[in-house]
Amino acid sequence: MSDYNKHDAVLGIDIGGTNTKYGLVTPDGKLIHKGSCPTNSGKPISALFKNILRTVKKVKKDLNIIGIGIGAPNANYFNGYIESPPNLKWGTVNVKKELKKLISCPVALTNDANAGAIGEMIFGNGKGINDFIFITLGTGLGSGLIVDGKLVYGHDGFAGEIGHVIVKENGRLCGCGRKGCLETYVSAPGLKRTAFEILSDLNCESLLTKIPYEKLTAKNIFEAAAAKDKVAMLAFEKTGEILGKALANSIAYLSPKAIFLFGGLVEAGDLLFKPVKKYMNANTLNIMKNKVTIMPSGLDEGSAAVLGAAALIINELEKLKLK
Amino acid sequence: MSDYNKHDAVLGIDIGGTNTKYGLVTPDGKLIHKGSCPTNSGKPISALFKNILRTVKKVKKDLNIIGIGIGAPNANYFNGYIESPPNLKWGTVNVKKELKKLISCPVALTNDANAGAIGEMIFGNGKGINDFIFITLGTGLGSGLIVDGKLVYGHDGFAGEIGHVIVKENGRLCGCGRKGCLETYVSAPGLKRTAFEILSDLNCESLLTKIPYEKLTAKNIFEAAAAKDKVAMLAFEKTGEILGKALANSIAYLSPKAIFLFGGLVEAGDLLFKPVKKYMNANTLNIMKNKVTIMPSGLDEGSAAVLGAAALIINELEKLKLK
């Protein structure tokens, strides 16, 4: 990365349903400025981009933006579109074309979990590891697969949806319309559903009986588990078991060197990791057993999305140099 | 591939528990000679290689062997070893080193399903398709994953074991020692187990009641199903259902353009493909639905293993040229 100019930086943008975060990142991964603004998808996407570009140019006057990376729901790496995500009002929008009207530099986009995986590879614990799986546990379960040092996009850009592997026939109803997807069990809402399932099953005393369904958060369950609440502890155990078994299957597919877990749930530490490791190892095929490291992501929760988006375009710029 | 000499050929070797097949293949994929001999793993592996090399040199005197590709159980692409497969007596053996003593040319090895996937990519229906899954249905279920035009090896060379994805908790006992692996349901023995399960369940008349367990073959079940035997037809339906659902999950991982099925069971045609397609499409995530072609392999059953091994080394020679 030695042939960059000292004023060069990439712009990483993470578009969310409500807010959009952005940051200027040097080619070697230093976040030199970050900000955020409302996404406001009621207005055209060009308004959002104009706003961000105006702001960063004001803050860093000397700066030369050499590329823009974007993480967004339903963002398609191959065609440069964001394709009608449910939580954004733009419908299907040609992001690359819109940005080209405003600035002349390479642009790349993909979904946030894929951007996170590239962030992990370039700036996080995935440095120097050619084969790993990145999993983000939030309101859903997102994943990005790194095979031989490259992100797996699949033929259409949509590969890496481990959260939508069906792990239980006729299982829990998923937001995708099907039943039994991994993310209905392993995610913040999944943990809550499991806690309530255990409550209904055991009908016992628990700190969680005082909190209505719509108000119960993963944090409540974590705090209850830390206070040795039986239901909360069992909820983590069950969540870890389901994730561990699912990852044993992931290993049969890809035989990765490592698996990195990212997101709020990871803060539960051993409550989650202990059962995950136990059930993952117990269910892994012999020739692959005890070879896979599973650990928290090396990305900082606050800036991971922006760093991931930045890493995506840095990775593309490196590819262009090789050509 | 224009810079090969007209006398150049690669040697493809498929090592099986009992017999070893081999063939001379031109760089553009013409099989110009094939043969077979007993594997005889009671003797050193060098004896097998000496025998094959002597024979092919006798048959094609002008020939220049520019590379050797080998498909074998537990063959490790990265270190060049065959690692103690249960059906061969060599233990762990350094194949590359043994061959180097006999001939000076590039050598590559991998397991037979992986070799088959590369064969499909170079000589079969996978030509021009960058992302596909190759599945071989025989005494087990083997698979090879092609991502972005390259075989997925994983960090240790053992990736692509879809046959050992656990599809049913506490399911059927598998040869690997675990329970519920896909290949215990979807393979020639898996089909038989399903037929007997259905027989025990329905306790009805069937052509299959006349054949003892140890003698019942997939071919018997196919013939019975062709004669509209209810148990046999249900056995194919159930096998297709389980494979279709498993492939829907494979699609969530890799979003391939195509899935190719290879092996004896594929000859059952619609008996297998109809339920596979039905359950695969019904269980695929919306954004990936109806995008994946599933069809029989384009490789001829008789020479696929040898062509696959040849394709493996042709692929390596092409990579060397790019360097």
Side-chain angles (χ1 to χ4, degrees), chain A residues 128-142:
Chain A
I129 301 182
N130 272 335
D131 295 88
F132 69 83
I133 296 175
F134 174 84
I135 290 191
T136 158
L137 300 168
T139 53
L141 185 156

Side-chain angles (χ1 to χ4, degrees), chain A residues 42-318:
Chain A
K43 288 188 185 174
I45 197 169
S46 56
L48 174 66
F49 291 144
K50 271 180 204 162
N51 182 12
I52 294 171
L53 287 171
R54 200 186 314 121
T55 311
V56 298
K57 278 176 186 165
K58 212 182 287 174
V59 178
K60 299 271 175 190
K61 287 198 184 74
D62 292 339
L63 212 73
N64 181 30
I65 295 177
I66 57 170
I68 299 175
I70 297 172
N74 287 16
N76 188 321
Y77 171 79
F78 288 122
N79 63 18
Y81 282 69
I82 292 177
E83 302 183 3
S84 301
N87 55 344
L88 291 168
K89 297 179 195 148
W90 294 315
T92 289
V93 55
N94 188 335
V95 173
K96 283 198 178 182
K97 195 176 143 196
E98 291 301 327
L99 267 170
K100 215 172 185 176
K101 291 179 194 164
L102 303 173
I103 185 170
S104 167
C105 69
V107 172
L109 56 162
T110 189
N111 73 48
D112 50 345
N114 282 348
I118 296 180
E120 195 74 46
M121 177 168 71
I122 297 193
F123 303 132
N125 289 333
K127 272 186 216 172
I129 301 182
N130 272 335
D131 295 88
F132 69 83
I133 296 175
F134 174 84
I135 290 191
T136 158
L137 300 168
T139 53
L141 185 156
S143 62
L145 318 175
I146 301 290
V147 164
D148 198 19
K150 291 198 294 186
L151 187 80
V152 177
Y153 287 105
H155 85 283
D156 58 355
F158 290 125
E161 289 288 353
I162 297 183
H164 291 286
V165 164
I166 293 175
V167 295
K168 191 164 180 184
E169 201 153 350
N170 289 314
R172 291 180 183 166
L173 190 62
C174 182
C176 76
R178 301 175 311 152
K179 283 180 173 181
C181 292
L182 181 60
E183 75 171 26
T184 66
Y185 299 90
V186 183
S187 62
L191 178 70
K192 178 171 97 168
R193 292 165 87 166
T194 301
F196 272 90
E197 193 180 302
I198 293 169
L199 262 181
S200 356
D201 193 28
L202 300 186
N203 198 34
C204 62
E205 282 194 22
S206 162
L207 297 166
L208 306 181
T209 59
K210 294 167 184 39
I211 309 169
Y213 190 85
E214 66 167 21
K215 293 214 169 150
L216 186 70
T217 64
K219 195 160 175 256
N220 297 144
I221 302 169
F222 170 64
E223 286 165 356
K228 305 284 178 208
D229 182 87
K230 184 179 162 189
V231 172
M233 288 170 76
L234 280 173
F236 272 104
E237 174 79 17
K238 190 70 196 164
T239 303
E241 175 182 340
I242 295 172
L243 179 56
K245 287 176 178 174
L247 292 178
N249 283 345
S250 304
I251 293 170
Y253 274 92
L254 299 175
S255 201
K257 182 74 198 151
I259 297 170
F260 301 112
L261 304 186
F262 175 84
L265 279 191
V266 175
E267 283 165 41
D270 273 355
L271 274 172
L272 183 69
F273 276 90
K274 241 173 127 172
V276 170
K277 283 181 193 172
K278 175 178 157 192
Y279 287 98
M280 186 180 93
N281 285 328
N283 287 279
T284 296
L285 187 61
N286 258 325
I287 48 167
M288 298 161 174
K289 229 189 245 301
N290 300 318
K291 289 180 175 177
V292 187
T293 305
I294 178 161
M295 60 187 291
S297 162
L299 299 175
D300 166 57
E301 175 104 31
S303 49
V306 163
L307 275 180
L312 170 68
I313 188 64
I314 290 172
N315 198 39
E316 292 300 311
L317 294 172
E318 292 294 313

